[in-house]
């Protein structure tokens, strides 16, 4: 495998920063099969840093999904006769769809930000919000078609989807037209200044 | 455990490679290939290019190493002042643990 091909696995920002020295290293050391696997995994981790919001570790997101799933699972008494872990498997499969939708949506956002740097960036953020809703809607529709899909709580998922859309749309509107609220000017007394 | 050793642990699976990179840079700046060779010599471990640059990326992001200007593609790095402190604290903690372990083994 050519070193240049391996470098393409990394995000563009990473390549721009470290690409030349990475290639210089690999051209001297050569590439063993273990090195190809090592670089592939490292590149995947760099992509995760791109996809995850700043400060939020992938593990925390994963655990948050599991916690939500566990709570969700207890809400269905008609599943009581099934072994718990079998009921959980369905929820794990369903939750993975939402997680994938969130990751893909995040990827779209970052791509939009990159492409739209400068004029039109805010419009791309609105497009990112719409794409988030569409991705989650598609994941939800696939979830409904899965065997053992649980129907009684669609409103919970709908609230989550609408909340995501509302938050993202507010951020886009903020970018388009300025703050949605007017910050209260600081009080002169609070600053300790005399009038 | 001091704040500095907590910060090194925050690097997750890259904490050990990061420590090896910092040890390698402790005696002066090196580029990637020199680090790889030095780490293999001192630890017996050969870091793959992905692991090496994963560690370099994270260390640079934390300000513990910094790149130096270079005329060719190979870019040398050096430990920063804060990097020195982090490494020093981590090695002090490891020295304490090694002493306790050695004593316990001797007493066993």
């Amino acid at each position: 495998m050519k070193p240049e091909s391996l470098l393409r696995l990394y995000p563009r920002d990473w390549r721009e920063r470290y690409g030349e020295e990475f290639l210089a290293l690999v051209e001297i050391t050569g590439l063993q099969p273990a090195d190809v696997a090592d670089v592939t995994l490292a590149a995947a981790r760099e992509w995760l840093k791109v996809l995850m919001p700043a400060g939020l570790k992938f593990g925390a997101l994963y655990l948050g999904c599991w916690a939500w799933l566990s709570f969700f699972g207890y809400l269905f008494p008609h599943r009581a006769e099934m072994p718990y872990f079998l009921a959980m498997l369905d929820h794990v499969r369903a939750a993975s769809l939402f997680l994938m939708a969130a990751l893909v949506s995040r990827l779209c956002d970052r791509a939009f930000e990159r492409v739209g740097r400068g004029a039109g960036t805010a419009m791309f953020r609105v497009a990112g919000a719409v794409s988030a809703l569409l991705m989650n809607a598609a994941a939800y529709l696939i979830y409904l078609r899965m065997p053992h899909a649980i129907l009684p709580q669609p409103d919970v998922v709908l609230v989550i989807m609408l909340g995501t859309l509302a938050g993202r749309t507010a951020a886009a509107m903020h970018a388009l037209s300025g703050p949605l609220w007017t910050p209260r000017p600081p009080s002169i007394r609070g600053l300790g200044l005399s009038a | 455990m001091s704040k500095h050793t907590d910060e090194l642990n925050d690097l997750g699976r890259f904490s050990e490679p990061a420590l090896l990179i910092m040890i390698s840079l402790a005696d002066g700046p090196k580029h990637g290939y020199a680090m790889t060779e030095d780490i293999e010599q001192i630890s017996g471990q050969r870091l793959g290019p992905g692991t090496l640059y994963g560690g370099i990326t994270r260390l640079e992001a934390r300000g513990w190493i910094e790149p130096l200007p270079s005329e060719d593609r190979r870019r040398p790095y050096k430990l920063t002042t804060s990097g020195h402190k982090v490494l020093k604290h981590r090695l002090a903690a490891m020295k304490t643990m090694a002493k306790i372990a050695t004593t316990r083994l001797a007493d066993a």
Side-chain angles (χ1 to χ4, degrees):
Chain A
M1 193 170 188
K2 288 185 182 175
E4 291 80 7
S5 305
L6 213 54
L7 182 61
R8 296 286 302 176
L9 294 175
Y10 282 92
R12 178 157 58 175
D13 287 343
W14 195 95
R15 293 200 307 267
E16 287 173 0
R17 170 62 186 87
Y18 295 104
E20 286 299 316
E21 54 190 283
F22 176 87
L23 286 176
L25 171 67
V26 171
E27 283 165 8
I28 297 174
T29 61
L31 276 176
Q32 309 296 323
D35 292 335
V36 174
D38 176 64
V39 170
T40 304
L41 277 176
R45 287 192 173 87
E46 294 302 323
W47 273 107
L48 273 181
K49 281 164 61 180
V50 170
L51 292 173
M52 288 294 117
L56 178 68
K57 294 183 180 177
F58 183 74
L61 183 64
Y62 184 78
L63 287 174
C65 287
W66 270 99
W68 182 79
L69 282 175
S70 301
F71 174 74
F72 208 73
Y74 280 115
L75 296 179
F76 304 106
H78 65 280
R79 289 265 174 191
E81 69 278 6
M82 291 181 62
Y84 182 65
F85 77 93
L86 282 180
M88 287 303 294
L89 279 177
D90 289 338
H91 298 300
V92 170
R93 277 203 302 271
S96 66
L97 294 174
F98 289 99
L99 185 59
M100 281 192 307
L103 289 175
V104 171
S105 165
R106 176 74 178 161
L107 180 63
C108 289
D109 279 350
R110 292 306 295 257
F112 289 151
E113 284 172 13
R114 184 82 186 181
V115 169
R117 199 163 279 175
T121 301
M123 292 300 296
F124 283 122
R125 286 181 185 165
V126 174
V130 173
S131 75
L133 177 64
L134 291 176
M135 296 283 183
N136 278 287
Y140 185 53
L141 287 173
I142 294 171
Y143 164 72
L144 286 180
R145 280 172 163 68
M146 287 170 64
H148 313 301
I150 304 301
L151 294 179
Q153 304 291 332
D155 51 339
V156 173
V157 179
L158 188 61
V159 167
I160 293 172
M161 287 164 57
L162 288 176
T164 304
L165 177 63
R168 300 280 284 274
T169 304
M173 286 173 64
H174 179 96
L176 273 171
S177 60
L180 296 176
W181 64 91
T182 304
R184 185 187 297 180
S187 156
I188 292 179
R189 283 184 189 172
L191 292 173
L193 300 173
S194 56
Chain B
M1 190 178 288
S2 74
K3 171 177 176 288
H4 294 295
T5 52
D6 283 342
E7 288 174 344
L8 200 58
N9 288 338
D10 282 346
L11 296 177
R13 77 168 290 276
F14 286 99
S15 60
E16 190 182 343
L19 180 62
L20 291 171
I21 291 168
M22 293 172 85
I23 291 172
S24 176
L25 293 176
D27 66 349
K30 292 183 182 67
H31 51 63
Y33 179 66
M35 279 189 242
T36 305
E37 293 289 297
D38 187 47
I39 289 169
E40 187 170 8
Q41 195 172 24
I42 60 178
S43 69
Q45 283 185 54
R46 183 179 170 276
L47 296 186
T51 303
L52 178 74
Y53 271 91
I56 287 174
T57 304
R58 283 152 181 81
L59 288 171
E60 191 179 356
R62 280 164 174 77
W64 295 344
I65 67 173
E66 61 184 6
L68 295 174
S70 172
E71 290 183 356
D72 64 22
R73 293 195 302 168
R74 297 181 298 180
R75 188 183 306 218
Y77 290 86
K78 70 166 196 154
L79 271 184
T80 60
T81 308
S82 54
H84 264 286
K85 284 183 189 168
V86 170
L87 179 61
K88 199 173 162 185
H89 280 94
R90 171 50 74 98
L91 293 176
M94 289 170 72
K95 191 176 172 185
T96 305
M97 282 196 292
K99 194 175 171 185
I100 293 171
T102 307
T103 307
R104 289 183 181 183
L105 282 173
D107 292 343

